[in-house]
Each structure stands twice: as C-alpha cells, then as structure tokens.
Amino acid sequence: MVSAEKISMKNMTLQALTKACNGELHYYSEDAVESKEATSVVIDSRQITEGGIFIATVGERVDGHSFIEQVFEKGALGVICEKLPDKPYGPCILVKDSFKALKDAAAYYREQLKCTVIGITGSVGKTSTKEFIATVLSEKYKVCKTIGNFNNEVGMPLTILSAREADEVLVLEMGINHFGEMERMAAIARPDMAVITNIANCHLEFLGDRDGVLKAKTAIFTGMKEGSKAFLNADDDKLATVTKVCGARPVFYGIRKKQIPPDYYISEYMTKGLLGTDAVVISRITGENIPVSIRLPGEHMLYNALAATAVGEAMGMSGDAIASGIGKVAATAGRGNIIAGKDYTIIDDCYNANPSAMRYALKLLGLADTRKVAILGDMFELGEGASALHREVGEAAARSDADVIVCVGSLSRAMYEGALTGLKSASEALAPSIAEDPDSQENDNTAVYEGVRLIYFKDKERLKTGLPHIIRKGDSVLVKASHGMGFAEIVDILKEE
C-alpha cells in the first residue's frame, strides 16, 4: 500500500466515520476532535501517525485491540474497535465487525475522492498490467496505485484509504477467488474504468471452470456507472463474448491476427530476448501508430502495453507520452523479474502460479540464449482437475526449450509424469534412472531424453539439497510456483551463489 502522507483526508472525521461504519462514538477527551479530519487510516499499529485512525482487527495470530494504548501514545486521532479498552485512552468508535468497518470507511472515503478510479482484474497479469497503466498515466497525472499484494477485500480498501485529494488517478488491482467477492469490492471501488486481462484456469476449486471465472471477474462491472469504459483482451475467447458493458461496447485489445483487428493491436514487433521487445502499437480509435520499447521480456508484455495505451488514450494522453511511460516500466519481485546474479540469470516468477501463467513463464525462459533450467512447483486452488492441469503443464514444459525441467511438490508429481510422457513421445528415450542426488528417495526421479533432463522432488527441502547437482554456472533459471510453496527462498539461494 502507498504510504499515506500527513495530509488530512477529506471529510474523514470521527463523526463521519461513526455514521459510515454504523458505530457508536465513545468520547474520552475534553478536546473537540469529532470534526477534525484524520491523516490516515491503518490496521497495522506500527503504521499509525499523528492524527491517524487505527482500526483494531482480530487476526489469526494478533489481536489489534491489544495495541490501542500504544497508538494513542503515538498521537492517534481515534480508534475503531469491536470492544472498548479498559481505560479511556482516547476516542473509540465501537463496531460489530472491524473488517466490515474497514470496508465501510473505504466506501465512504471513495465518495469523497474526485479522482478517476481504474479497476484491474483477470486471471494472469493483473500486477504487471497495473504497473504499465500506472506508470503510463504518471506521465501526465498524479497517480495512486495498489502496492504489493494489496488486492483483496482487505488490501483494496486500504489502498483506497491511502489516496489523497491531490491524486488524480487511483489504479486498483482487484483479485478474487470466490463468487461474491468482486461484487463487494466493486461496490466499494466503483471504478470509472475496468480492465480485464484474461480468463484462465485458476481458482477452479471455488469457481468451477472458466465460465465461472468469467462470471466472477466480470462482476467488476456491477460497480460501474452507465457508459463507463471497459478494456478487454480480444484474444481471450471468453472475454471476446462480452458485447456490452454498462450500456457501451467494450474497447478490445489484442496481438493475434484477425479479419477485423481489435481497437488496439500490434502491427509489428521485434524481440530482444530477455532484454524486452520493440513494437508498434496501432490505435484504431485515434489512428495513431505508436512505437514502444518494452523493457520486460515476453510476448505477454505486449498485452500490458496495449492495455496501457488504450487507457492512456481514453485519459487524453498523447502517443509520445504513452510510449515514454511504457519505456519506464520495471519488473516487480516475484513477477517475471529478471535478476542478473553472480553465476546465474534468474527469472523470479514465484509470487503465484496457474496453468496459463506457467506457460507464459516457460515461453519467457525460452528467450534465454544459455542453458535453460525450469524449476516448477505446485499450483494451488485448482480443484478436482488439479492433477490433469499439472500434467498438462508438464507436457507444455516438455515442448518448451528448457534443457532441465525440475518438478517440485506433491501435486507436481503429475507435472513430472506429463513431462515424461511428452518427452517420450517427442524422442527416443534413454532408460530413466533413480535420481543421482545423495539423499534421493524412491519417488524422487530423474530421466534424460535427447539431452533434456527431467527431475522430480517431493518437496522444497529436497530441491534445496539437489540444486548444486542441477544448475551450472551461466544457466538461466526460471523459478515458478504458487506463493504457498515458498519458492522465494530458492530465488534467494540462487542470488547468493
């Protein structure tokens, strides 16, 4: 989340917040503070600043109510809480549910903001698309954006509360994995514009199938006014079926050749490997041809550039300003970040994973001009089809340009088997053998096919032990898995070597 400046938040008084959160104000001071505007609203007591509001929430490990005295000692204006403190340290707004109060406070504050709100959702590429759009718009506007992983029902309200009256644009990343979440988030954010990157096989455990994902993601439109703009990926077969949003035709962008090109498309591009891509973006809306230089590698970054161009033009920006912004976009940790280590080039893409993202990452690895190692881990929240989807990723890995394919985790056993099948069908096999690593177990296997080495480890600890036997100096190494696999530790190990 963006760090809040010590600037008062318009109309965010104790009196107004009490009404917005349907709470009861308990006043423990002789000072008239009910009408004083807060300087910040936080749920982390360590972030409280003088004049700020602290919302005391009850988490799995920590109860924020135990920090009420401390935040008042730091100069807090007031506290929103589910239970009053034993001692009257300062003004407290008593509510039934602190997390609901957070959302209510954000919804009220959203009404006070005059900036343009842009909501970004989709299965893959939300964060990189958000970075492209925010960076491009920063060429002309003062922009507040989602930072890190603050994209859920807690993080998004905090991002809204980090905006200030001077901000002209608020770019919100909106992530969901259950039905109903997007409707609640959209009701708070009420986007003026919405961007949907794609509809992929992710969160199937809760959303069922891609049609369920489409339904859940497009619920972002429920918070938008009539005539609001939506920007959709024309190359996604599900999104291509959306013909009207808020009474208007969506704006489509894409890179695939079609009889009728989308509103924004790529006329030509030249890859520079892991150094990025040069391209020409065509706008059928304004007729402009915009040459852009993208610092981040991979074909999927072209979609981000297209989305940013479409939003930029909708916000009245020139082609030159849009191109300048695109050229400044840099990678973020864990999301396709290219790290030039001492001995290896590391593609750090371990923040999250689903089948589509895995395929994108394998294509990215294929751009390297060195020996290529793909370290792939479990993908979570895929439901009953998890085994089949892991197997399909393994088959895709076998078709990729990877020289070494490493599958890690219980779910990735199916990925290993899929890669094994793919390699067998593609070449004459040498006899597979048990892993040569010293602590290998019966289900830690390795096989070699036409120079491609395939390895399976049951867990991350076995992978860590086997790493010295797998990678060589000068390798390009992709590290990709769902966040819960903790593969950031593998990235750190590779950076240190």
Side-chain angles (χ1 to χ4, degrees), residues 422-443:
L423 290 173
K424 280 181 178 179
S425 64
S427 64
E428 288 292 324
L430 300 176
S433 58
I434 300 300
E436 63 225 35
D437 304 306
D439 70 336
S440 65
Q441 308 255 332
E442 286 186 0
N443 60 344

Side-chain angles (χ1 to χ4, degrees), residues 152-153 174-187 207 216 219:
N152 60 15
E153 287 194 83
M174 301 168 70
I176 56 100
N177 57 15
H178 287 77
F179 289 114
E181 288 180 329
M182 186 61 78
E183 286 90 341
R184 294 191 294 270
M185 294 174 72
L207 302 178

Side-chain angles (χ1 to χ4, degrees), residues 201-215:
N201 286 314
C202 64
H203 307 308
L204 301 185
E205 180 179 357
F206 311 112
L207 302 178
D209 54 22
R210 287 184 67 222
D211 287 326
V213 177
L214 177 68
K215 179 181 178 181

Side-chain angles (χ1 to χ4, degrees), residues 144-304:
C144 177
K145 66 177 182 179
T146 300
I147 299 297
N149 63 342
F150 277 66
N151 66 358
N152 60 15
E153 287 194 83
V154 174
M156 190 205 72
L158 288 170
T159 301
I160 292 174
L161 291 165
S162 73
R164 293 297 177 266
E165 194 172 1
D167 290 316
E168 298 170 289
V169 181
L170 175 57
V171 183
L172 297 174
E173 182 180 335
M174 301 168 70
I176 56 100
N177 57 15
H178 287 77
F179 289 114
E181 288 180 329
M182 186 61 78
E183 286 90 341
R184 294 191 294 270
M185 294 174 72
I188 297 169
R190 293 188 290 109
D192 299 296
M193 299 181 183
V195 179
I196 305 183
T197 61
N198 45 51
I199 303 298
N201 286 314
C202 64
H203 307 308
L204 301 185
E205 180 179 357
F206 311 112
L207 302 178
D209 54 22
R210 287 184 67 222
D211 287 326
V213 177
L214 177 68
K215 179 181 178 181
K217 298 291 186 181
T218 53
I220 191 174
F221 304 146
T222 62
M224 298 167 63
K225 296 178 182 177
E226 194 73 6
S228 298
K229 289 184 179 292
F231 303 86
L232 309 179
N233 182 347
D235 294 342
D236 186 284
D237 60 322
K238 297 296 182 183
L239 290 175
T241 66
V242 180
T243 58
K244 188 172 288 188
V245 176
C246 300
R249 176 187 173 277
V251 176
F252 284 101
Y253 61 90
I255 64 175
R256 301 285 173 245
K257 291 184 178 180
K258 299 180 180 179
Q259 187 173 4
I260 300 177
D263 302 294
Y264 292 86
Y265 63 98
I266 301 293
S267 67
E268 57 185 282
Y269 69 92
M270 181 181 71
T271 178
K272 298 184 289 185
L274 293 179
L275 297 178
T277 306
D278 289 335
V280 177
V281 175
I282 307 297
S283 167
R284 296 179 67 219
I285 304 292
T286 63
E288 273 206 83
N289 293 8
I290 306 173
V292 298
S293 184
I294 305 168
R295 293 166 55 190
L296 308 183
E299 183 185 74
H300 53 296
M301 293 299 170
L302 294 171
Y303 289 102
N304 300 337

Side-chain angles (χ1 to χ4, degrees), residues 290-432:
I290 306 173
V292 298
S293 184
I294 305 168
R295 293 166 55 190
L296 308 183
E299 183 185 74
H300 53 296
M301 293 299 170
L302 294 171
Y303 289 102
N304 300 337
L306 286 166
T309 301
V311 172
E313 285 202 341
M315 293 288 291
M317 294 183 64
S318 69
D320 288 344
I322 290 168
S324 175
I326 288 173
K328 294 176 182 177
V329 180
T332 55
R335 303 175 189 269
N337 188 23
I338 309 298
I339 303 170
K342 184 176 69 172
D343 292 327
Y344 320 108
T345 298
I346 307 156
I347 303 176
D348 172 16
D349 204 5
C350 64
Y351 181 78
N352 219 334
N354 59 52
S356 294
M358 283 284 196
R359 292 185 179 90
Y360 280 132
L362 286 165
K363 287 182 180 179
L364 184 57
L365 177 64
L367 297 176
D369 56 5
T370 65
R371 183 173 177 264
K372 306 169 187 64
V373 180
I375 300 177
L376 310 176
D378 289 353
M379 303 175 287
F380 299 143
E381 296 184 2
L382 295 180
E384 294 179 358
S387 181
L389 291 169
H390 279 80
R391 180 178 289 274
E392 289 175 10
V393 168
E395 292 170 354
R399 295 191 299 269
S400 74
D401 292 330
D403 300 295
V404 182
I405 303 168
V406 185
C407 305
V408 186
S410 57
L411 293 172
S412 292
R413 179 72 197 187
M415 190 189 298
Y416 171 84
E417 292 168 354
L420 197 61
T421 299
L423 290 173
K424 280 181 178 179
S425 64
S427 64
E428 288 292 324
L430 300 176

Side-chain angles (χ1 to χ4, degrees), residues 8-13 16-17 19-20 37 104-117 160-161 163-167 170 188-190:
S8 63
M9 303 171 69
K10 185 178 180 181
N11 296 331
M12 289 291 277
T13 64
L17 281 169
K19 183 177 179 180
E37 291 178 337
D104 291 340
Y108 168 74
Y109 189 53
R110 165 66 179 95
E111 294 176 1
Q112 316 311 310
L113 297 172
K114 303 302 181 185
C115 59
T116 299
V117 177
I160 292 174
L161 291 165
R164 293 297 177 266
E165 194 172 1
D167 290 316
L170 175 57
I188 297 169
R190 293 188 290 109

